[in-house]
Amino acid sequence: MQNATPAAIVVLVLELTPAAVFGLAAERVGQACACWPSTLRTALPALCALPYVLLSCSQHMFSWKWCALYAALPVAIAWLLGQAAIADPEQRGNWRDAIILLTLGLAVDLRWFEPAWPSGLTGLGKLLLIDAALYGFVAIRRLRGTGFDFHLHWSDWKTGLRELAFLTPLVVGLGLALGFLHPHGNAPRFSMIPTWIYIFIFIAVPEELFFRAWVQNLLERRVGRQAALAITAVLFGLSHFNKRSAHFNWSYVLLASVAGIFYGRAWREQRRVPASAITHASVDAIWLFWF
């Protein structure tokens, strides 16, 4: 993390803590939240504004506009998902789910909220949105079958590495043919494991949580397994349209869509985010170290 000031480290810990709690004890947290008054359940995520307040004040860039947004948006997510839980107890997917996922996806892809954060620390804003959505989908919506679980199983590695073995020759061959990949192998090998862990925690898990645990999970209930896999893979690919390019990066979109199929296969085998995150993190690490 760039510009890792003491305040930034405190904010990082604050933002990682809810994700860790949900990843280790989601069912117990959901049951506990269900006992609270509905007003408290809905208003509690306004505390998501705290990390923004701490960091922005330390950097002398506090804005009431952004503070209000980071207090109101998590509350709106909780309220909408509370309404979705009532309107859609079968959890087949509701228009409120779609609005929330679309808003969060566009906010991250189009970098709507990045001006609120210091340069080099915009990733903290993304983590804050993940916390707000986790609270809504886990504690309020009680969405089943997400597989967001930090208790790693041997089967997660088996599935994740199997899909990596299927995907790697295909995506490397296609990437080289498109001129998107360029072999180099210059990265220091001693950093491979720490880098893989960083990618797993801060890139792969959040993206797999969003695209597989929420989007693909909900789509399966509406359109079936195969269609959900294909649609989610395309959406995942399109989310990379502005990465590493000032224009529509169609090569990246195509390769990410192909990769998304295998990430989705890894997730849906036992509905486990760690499995698809292992595939995802390994692909990104191979790209970083050899291409």
Side-chain angles (χ1 to χ4, degrees):
M1 183 173 64
Q2 298 177 8
N3 301 332
T5 63
I9 293 172
V10 170
V11 167
L12 177 63
V13 172
L14 280 176
E15 294 186 352
L16 286 177
T17 299
V21 170
F22 286 123
L24 293 171
E27 187 61 29
R28 279 178 287 173
V29 171
Q31 291 173 354
C33 290
C35 298
W36 300 345
S38 61
T39 302
L40 175 61
R41 286 202 308 270
T42 302
L44 184 64
L47 293 174
C48 284
L50 181 59
Y52 166 75
V53 172
L54 290 175
L55 188 62
S56 61
C57 287
S58 74
Q59 298 280 332
H60 308 290
M61 56 183 297
F62 175 81
S63 164
W64 282 109
K65 176 187 73 173
W66 290 115
C67 182
L69 173 73
Y70 281 116
L73 181 61
V75 171
I77 290 172
W79 180 78
L80 282 171
L81 288 176
Q83 296 300 305
I86 296 170
D88 177 36
E90 299 84 6
Q91 298 192 351
R92 286 180 47 78
N94 183 269
W95 62 267
R96 299 168 183 86
D97 301 312
I99 285 179
I100 289 168
L101 292 173
L102 180 62
T103 300
L104 293 176
L106 290 176
V108 172
D109 273 355
L110 301 181
R111 306 182 177 96
W112 287 346
F113 303 159
E114 287 190 3
W117 300 85
S119 176
L121 296 174
T122 56
L124 294 174
K126 298 174 185 177
L127 280 176
L128 193 153
L129 294 178
I130 288 290
D131 285 343
L134 267 172
Y135 178 82
F137 279 107
V138 174
I140 304 295
R141 184 72 158 105
R142 305 290 300 275
L143 184 62
R144 297 183 295 270
T146 63
F148 183 68
D149 181 2
F150 287 165
H151 299 91
L152 266 67
H153 303 159
W154 166 244
S155 61
D156 297 330
W157 292 98
K158 180 181 176 181
T159 301
L161 295 177
R162 182 198 67 209
E163 294 303 316
L164 175 68
F166 292 157
L167 167 61
T168 301
L170 177 60
V171 79
V172 168
L174 184 58
L176 292 173
L178 293 172
F180 182 81
L181 296 180
H182 306 280
H184 57 75
N186 297 324
R189 296 294 177 263
F190 67 83
S191 66
M192 290 182 69
I193 293 178
T195 299
W196 187 94
I197 293 172
Y198 175 88
I199 294 171
F200 180 84
I201 294 173
F202 292 103
I203 299 175
V205 168
E207 291 188 4
E208 293 307 302
L209 173 65
F210 182 87
F211 283 101
R212 258 50 75 172
W214 295 336
V215 176
Q216 186 171 336
N217 185 13
L218 287 167
L219 279 173
E220 277 193 357
R221 303 161 196 234
R222 286 284 181 179
V223 300
R225 281 165 54 92
Q226 297 304 327
L229 176 65
I231 293 170
T232 306
V234 170
L235 292 174
F236 178 73
L238 288 172
S239 73
H240 294 75
F241 82 97
N242 58 353
K243 304 297 191 297
R244 302 194 175 216
S245 174
H247 307 288
F248 190 94
N249 194 338
W250 68 269
S251 297
Y252 204 166
V253 168
L254 176 60
L255 289 170
S257 297
V258 172
I261 293 174
F262 291 87
Y263 301 163
R265 280 166 44 92
W267 171 80
R268 76 178 185 182
E269 177 152 320
Q270 295 187 17
R271 306 183 81 82
R272 296 274 301 169
V273 167
S276 57
I278 286 169
T279 309
H280 190 153
S282 300
V283 169
D284 285 4
I286 289 171
W287 181 15
L288 176 65
F289 282 96
W290 282 287
F291 298 97

